[in-house]
Structures are given as structure tokens and as C-alpha cells.
């Protein structure tokens, strides 16, 4: 049978504010089938918010899906179920999300690391994953080498490995690789390595449920006195990031101790109490999912709801006292710094004490692929300029080698405004996704194709533009697709009004009957427009 190829973005439709509707009800009047949301603020005492998600009509969902441009994002193939093959456009989107977080990491104290995707079975036994998570892991047989739990094996003898479903064991090895002091804490690692989870085939859905995915995984090793501060910092980090993407209608979920867990009950109770305290201080409502924690600790999850009414977990914060003990992690601390507390485990002499760090697992996007799919729904397939793989296309009007050559040269100038011939480009050089259509199609057909392909802007370049002096050459640029068109129009107006007199006389703005704003801008003004949109995350 011939393999069936699919090239689609996601199966979600859109996220909208109407999806979150809350009402206040007395404690004794809540129907049994309603999810319970705990009020975090002082005014919520004695009440629990009931959540009734907005469920749009099927036609409304289909209409929203219809506007999403299914162009060159990714491909799924039956030879690797649940593992997307990203086209250049999809790769661009994924790397934009990574670049965004990388730009935030220095101010939040995170250092990026790279860790293996495969470890010996012995490591997973130490971490507890082999006993508690084995069914969701991919086991791999490989040629052995001395080291780890299987050091008695002969070199070359077959032994069992596991593809990593998460990064925490590897980061524990990183922490343990050096002698640590209390002055080093907190230590924050970030990792974009691909993860593999053996999900059931029936649960695989577009980009929202995969077997291979990338996660903005992070781990914070800290002292017990730093827990609340680090959790609150992470919650603030999430809030700032989600506001940038226009995703402010999310909910908090507190997952408590599951049926299968490791560690002591008292550790779990203290961990859950600290996460509750952080949620209460955030002044946002949250709901409790009994048994929803990880096997090593309780967690706070960020939940987004799509237009189908389906919940998706994105960000997460997990508090873990267990893995540091499993891996024997320690840091040196002076005796005077030791405060009597059951959270602290110490070893060593009376003058030198080793304390056990606390581990906080955190992700801001969660699965980058899932976050990308949810963004597609939130933006209704209209990507913001700074993210889209199709930012601008120049459309020529007329024929002639001189016209085509000049249009292509302008496209290169806009794509790489910092380019210097014969020199290596700097690490912070600007680069934009600019194409050029010099085909013989009519302008009307080119514009139709441009809109279908999902370009943010198209710019018309014709004979009149070619006749202008090179330093004053203009383009007629039109905003074609953007989730916030009014914000973009405002930036265009600012650039036009603040232009140098020599250029402002050559530029003008027109509004068509359909409401599209077309600006006649010089190449420099176009470069300024693209740079501002990128800088402002628009």
C-alpha cells in the first residue's frame, strides 16, 4: 500500500477569551460534575469558582481552521509515527521560539546545556523512571562499554538503554560532576534537547501530542530557603512570556501526590504546601487535580483551552526532594548556615556540612511543537511578523531584465540589511525572510497567491519605481496578514512621519476601499519597519 503523506500544521482551532468563563458559587451549591477552582485572592474566601468552558459551534471551529495556511510547516509519515519532519518554514518557527527564550535566559540566570538523548538502563533505575515511567519510554539495545551500573559487563556485550523522556537525570549528573558550594546556588540549567515518549498511537494528534518533541526544559538546584523565591520568579517568567504572545487567559492546575510515587509522605506534604503558598501569592485562581503530580513531586501546570474546549498543558513547575537524594547530590555549607529543618539532609563532620539541594523542574512553553500548534489557533493561522517564515515578498509589475534584477537586489538588501560583501556576518546581524516574485503572472494573481501563502507584507515594484534614483527608490508596501494590524499600521505611520525630509517627500500612505493600508516607502524606511516589528515582537 502506498504511504499516505500529510502536511498540516495542527488539529487545534483557536484560543479565545470566551473559552474561559468563571462564576462564583457557594460551596454547598456546586454540581458534582463541575471542576473546582480554588480562589487564590483574599476576596475568594469561602467560595470556589466553577469553570464552564466555551464550546463553539462546529461551523465556527471549521471556519477558524479554514483560515490557517497549511503551507510547508511539517510532514508526518507512517515510518515514524508522532515524529514530525519539519520543513524549512516549520524549522524557522521552532527556532524562533527557541531564540526568544534564549534571549530571556541571561536575565533569569539560566545557562543552556546539551545532554545525551540516550542513557543506560542503570541511570533510569537510579532516577526511578524505569520503575515508574518505563511504559512511556523507548528501550534500545546497544553495545556496552564499561561504566555505570553495568560495569561488570564485557565491552561490546549487548545491554539495554533508554531514550530520554526528560532531561532531569542528565542535569543531576551535571550538578554532581563538580564540587558545589552554597555560594553557587541557585544553579539553573536550560536544555532544548529532543525528548522521546512512547505515547499510544491512538493519542497522537497533530503537533499537540507527539512521540518526539522539543521542550524548553529547565532545572533549578537551590537551597530549601530559596524555594519560594525561585517558584515565584518562574511564575513571573511565565507571565511575562505569555503576555508577549497574547496568551493571558490561562489557568493554573496543582497536581498532588499520585498513586505511584517515590519518597516520604512528609516531604510530599511540605512540597505541596509550598506550591500552594506560591499560587496563593500569585493572586490567580487555580484548581487541584488529586493524584496529578509527577512520581517524584507535586507540580503546577499552566493550562490553555482551545476552541474545541480541549485543555492542553504547556508550562510546568515541579518541586522535587527525591531525585537529589536518589543521585546523592550535595553542596558544601558552613556549619553556621544550617538551620534545623526536616527538609535539610546533612552529612560530614561538625565543621564541614554537606546539604542536599532541592530540585525545581520547570518549562515555560512546555512542548515547543504543542505551543506552536496552540499559537496557530490563537492567531487563527495569521502569524505575527517576527515569527512567520514568510515575512515579505516583492511583486514586480512589468517585464525586463533590469526590473527583475533591481527587484531581486532590493529583496537581498531587505533580507540582510547588515550584509557587507566579503566579510563574515556578526552574530547579531539582522536577517528577514524576503522573497521576490518576478513571474509573468498579472499583479492581481500574484497578490491572490501571496495572500494564500500567508505573507505578512507584499511590496509592489514597477517601472515607475525603477526610474527613481537608487538612493530614493521606493516600494509600495501593503500589510497582507497579521494578528494585530492596527499596531502595525501605527508603526508605519510613525516611520512615515519621522522620516528625513529628503525621503518623506517621496513617500505617502494610501488606504484602499477594502481597508488595506499601502505605504510608499524607501528601502531604508522598509528596513526600519521590519526591524521595529522584530524588536517589538509584532
Amino acid at each position: 500500500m502506498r504511504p499516505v503523506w500529510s502536511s498540516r500544521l495542527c488539529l487545534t482551532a483557536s484560543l479565545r477569551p470566551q473559552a474561559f468563563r468563571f462564576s462564583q458559587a457557594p460551596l454547598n451549591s456546586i454540581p458534582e460534575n463541575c471542576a473546582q477552582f480554588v480562589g487564590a485572592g483574599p476576596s475568594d474566601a469561602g467560595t470556589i469558582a466553577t469553570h464552564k468552558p466555551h464550546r463553539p459551534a462546529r461551523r465556527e471551529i471549521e471556519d477558524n481552521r479554514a483560515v490557517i495556511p497549511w503551507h510547508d510547516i511539517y510532514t508526518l509519515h507512517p515510518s515514524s509515527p508522532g515524529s514530525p519532519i519539519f520543513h524549512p518554514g516549520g524549522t524557522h518557527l521552532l527556532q524562533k521560539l527557541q531564540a526568544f527564550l534564549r534571549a530571556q535566559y541571561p536575565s533569569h540566570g539560566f545557562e543552556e546545556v546539551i545532554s545525551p538523548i540516550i542513557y543506560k538502563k542503570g541511570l533510569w533505575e537510579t532516577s526511578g523512571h524505569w520503575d515508574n515511567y518505563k511504559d512511556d519510554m523507548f528501550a534500545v539495545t546497544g553495545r556496552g562499554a564499561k561504566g555505570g551500573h553495568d560495569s561488570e559487563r564485557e565491552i561490546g556485550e549487548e545491554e539495554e538503554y533508554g531514550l530520554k523522556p526528560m532531561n532531569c537525570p542528565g542535569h543531576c549528573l551535571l550538578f554532581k560532576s563538580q564540587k558545589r558550594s552554597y555560594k553557587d546556588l541557585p544553579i539553573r540549567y536550560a536544555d532544548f534537547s529532543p525528548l522521546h515518549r512512547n505515547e499510544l498511537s491512538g493519542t497522537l494528534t497533530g503537533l499537540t501530542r507527539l512521540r518526539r518533541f522539543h521542550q524548553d526544559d529547565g532545572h533549578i538546584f537551590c537551597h530549601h530557603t530559596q524555594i519560594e523565591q525561585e517558584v515565584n520568579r518562574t511564575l513571573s517568567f511565565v507571565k511575562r512570556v505569555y503576555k508577549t504572545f497574547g496568551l493571558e487567559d490561562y489557568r493554573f492546575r496543582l497536581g498532588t501526590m499520585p498513586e505511584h510515587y517515590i519518597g516520604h509522605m512528609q516531604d510530599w506534604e511540605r512540597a505541596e504546601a509550598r506550591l500552594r503558598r506560591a499560587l496563593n501569592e500569585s493572586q490567580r485562581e487555580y484548581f487541584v487535580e488529586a493524584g496529578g503530580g509527577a512520581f517524584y513531586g507535586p507540580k503546577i501546570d499552566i493550562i490553555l483551552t482551545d476552541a474545541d474546549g480541549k485543555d492542553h498543558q504547556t508550562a510546568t513547575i515541579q518541586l522535587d526532594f527525591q531525585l537529589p537524594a536518589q543521585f546523592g547530590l550535595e553542596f558544601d555549607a558552613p556549619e553556621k548556615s544550617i538551620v534545623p529543618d526536616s527538609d535539610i539532609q546533612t552529612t560530614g563532620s561538625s565543621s564541614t556540612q554537606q546539604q542536599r539541594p532541592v530540585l525545581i523542574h520547570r518549562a515555560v512553553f512546555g512542548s515547543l511543537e504543542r505551543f506552536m500548534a496552540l499559537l496557530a489557533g490563537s492567531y487563527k493561522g495569521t502569524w505575527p511578523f517576527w515569527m512567520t517564515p514568510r515575512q515579505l515578498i516583492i511583486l514586480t509589475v512589468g517585464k525586463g531584465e533590469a526590473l527583475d534584477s533591481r527587484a531581486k537586489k532590493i529583496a537581498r538588501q531587505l533580507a540582510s540589511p547588515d550584509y557587507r560583501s566579503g566579510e563574515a556576518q556578526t552574530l547579531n546581524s539582522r536577517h528577514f525572510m524576503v522573497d521576490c516574485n518576478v513571474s509573468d503572472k498579472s499583479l492581481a494573481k500574484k497578490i491572490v497567491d501571496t495572500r494564500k501563502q500567508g505573507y505578512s507584507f507584499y511590496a509592489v515594484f514597477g517601472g515607475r519605481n525603477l526610474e527613481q534614483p537608487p538612493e530614493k527608490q521606493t516600494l509600495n508596501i501593503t500589510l497582507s496578514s497579521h494578528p494585530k494590524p492596527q499596531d502595525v499600521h501605527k508603526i508605519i505611520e510613525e516611520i512615515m512621519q519621522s522620516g528625513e525630509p529628503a525621503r518623506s517627500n517621496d513617500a505617502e500612505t494610501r488606504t484602499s476601499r477594502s481597508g488595506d493600508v499601502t505605504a510608499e516607502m524607501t528601502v531604508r524606511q522598509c528596513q526600519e519597519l521590519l526591524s521595529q516589528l522584530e524588536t517589538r515582537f509584532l
Side-chain angles (χ1 to χ4, degrees), residues 189-411:
Y189 294 137
D191 199 328
F192 286 110
S193 301
L195 304 178
H196 295 79
R197 297 181 184 176
N198 194 12
E199 304 282 1
L200 297 174
S201 59
T203 65
L204 302 178
T205 307
L207 289 179
T208 60
R209 193 81 171 188
L210 297 169
R211 287 179 173 171
R212 180 189 186 274
F213 60 97
H214 298 80
Q215 181 168 286
D216 62 305
D217 216 355
H219 293 93
I220 303 168
F221 298 87
C222 64
H223 189 268
H224 82 104
T225 59
Q226 299 168 324
I227 292 176
E228 272 94 357
Q229 177 184 353
E230 290 301 313
V231 171
N232 289 332
R233 280 173 58 98
T234 304
L235 288 173
S236 298
F237 189 4
V238 170
K239 180 179 179 181
R240 188 176 304 114
V241 169
Y242 280 45
K243 183 178 180 180
T244 302
F245 287 90
L247 300 175
E248 299 185 69
D249 294 302
Y250 53 82
R251 293 172 289 132
F252 287 118
R253 176 178 67 195
L254 175 61
T256 59
M257 187 175 69
E259 181 180 354
H260 300 287
Y261 66 93
I262 59 176
H264 301 289
M265 178 72 71
Q266 59 182 3
D267 291 335
W268 278 84
E269 291 175 348
R270 282 193 296 272
E272 288 177 12
R274 290 187 167 184
L275 291 185
R276 285 180 187 271
R277 190 153 56 240
L279 285 171
N280 289 334
E281 291 175 359
S282 74
Q283 297 294 303
R284 290 191 64 134
E285 292 177 337
Y286 66 96
F287 68 100
V288 177
E289 182 183 0
F295 70 87
Y296 46 74
K299 61 178 182 172
I300 298 171
D301 292 328
I302 301 297
I303 306 298
L304 294 174
T305 305
D306 64 24
D308 288 300
K310 183 178 180 180
D311 289 342
H312 299 272
Q313 176 195 323
T314 53
T316 188
I317 304 171
Q318 305 173 6
L319 191 54
D320 184 356
F321 293 104
Q322 315 307 328
L323 285 187
Q326 300 283 94
F327 281 91
L329 304 185
E330 296 176 338
F331 64 90
D332 292 336
E335 183 180 7
K336 63 180 181 180
S337 73
I338 298 176
V339 180
D341 190 296
S342 54
D343 285 347
I344 303 176
Q345 300 182 33
T346 62
T347 59
S349 65
S350 58
S351 59
T352 304
Q353 297 284 351
Q354 282 74 48
Q355 296 187 25
R356 188 86 69 208
V358 178
L359 177 57
I360 300 175
H361 310 248
R362 78 100 188 99
V364 178
F365 290 153
S367 163
L368 270 65
E369 288 84 348
R370 177 184 297 167
F371 195 77
M372 184 194 304
L374 294 174
L375 283 178
S378 177
Y379 297 142
K380 300 181 181 179
T382 306
W383 299 105
F385 173 85
W386 74 275
M387 283 188 64
T388 182
R390 299 190 173 183
Q391 294 178 321
L392 170 66
I393 185 170
I394 296 177
L395 311 177
T396 57
V397 180
K399 299 180 180 180
E401 185 177 344
L403 179 70
D404 295 350
S405 177
R406 184 58 187 167
K408 291 177 181 179
K409 183 176 181 179
I410 293 175

Side-chain angles (χ1 to χ4, degrees), residues 182-195:
Y182 73 99
K183 294 181 179 180
D184 300 327
L185 304 184
I187 294 174
R188 308 180 185 95
Y189 294 137
D191 199 328
F192 286 110
S193 301
L195 304 178

Side-chain angles (χ1 to χ4, degrees), residues 461-480:
F461 186 82
R464 185 180 69 84
N465 307 93
L466 183 63
E467 294 173 358
Q468 297 168 333
E471 67 276 4
K472 293 186 178 181
Q473 216 151 39
T474 62
L475 297 166
N476 296 318
I477 187 168
T478 301
L479 178 64
S480 175

Side-chain angles (χ1 to χ4, degrees), residues 413-442:
Q413 289 177 321
L414 294 176
S416 301
D418 301 319
Y419 175 76
R420 297 294 181 268
S421 179
E423 299 180 10
Q425 302 307 294
T426 62
L427 295 178
N428 60 350
S429 294
R430 294 171 294 172
H431 181 76
F432 302 103
M433 310 298 284
V434 181
D435 297 318
C436 188
N437 186 345
V438 297
S439 69
D440 293 333
K441 290 183 179 180
S442 67

